[in-house]
Amino acid sequence: MIYITKDGETLDYICWIIYGTTKGNVEKVLENNPHLANQPVVFPAGIKIELPQTEENTNQQKIKMWQ
């Protein structure tokens, strides 16, 4: 999945939103996106990030507050 950042987001926040946890996921995302090492900690808008599929992610149900 490709994720495009919004101004002010951080990698750990994106991992928490997408995967439900940062445990191990920040590292996996960084391995797949070496270009992120050149970015500031707080991302500007428009950076493309390839988010790898994880086993936890495929088995996890997302909770929606509003339908």
Side-chain angles (χ1 to χ4, degrees):
M1 165 177 22
I2 299 290
Y3 183 88
I4 301 175
T5 61
K6 298 168 194 69
D7 195 39
E9 291 181 316
T10 60
L11 184 56
D12 58 337
Y13 173 76
I14 294 168
C15 289
W16 183 75
I17 293 296
I18 300 298
Y19 299 113
T21 183
T22 58
K23 185 178 178 182
N25 293 312
V26 172
E27 293 82 2
K28 289 176 189 174
V29 173
L30 285 172
E31 286 175 13
N32 286 318
N33 298 276
H35 67 281
L36 295 179
N38 299 325
Q39 297 296 327
V41 173
V42 179
F43 295 137
I47 298 173
K48 291 182 182 178
I49 301 174
E50 175 70 35
L51 297 175
Q53 194 72 15
T54 65
E55 190 173 313
E56 295 85 20
N57 190 14
T58 56
N59 294 330
Q60 189 177 37
Q61 291 184 351
K62 299 204 181 219
I63 299 172
K64 295 182 180 180
M65 294 181 71
W66 295 277
Q67 295 288 342

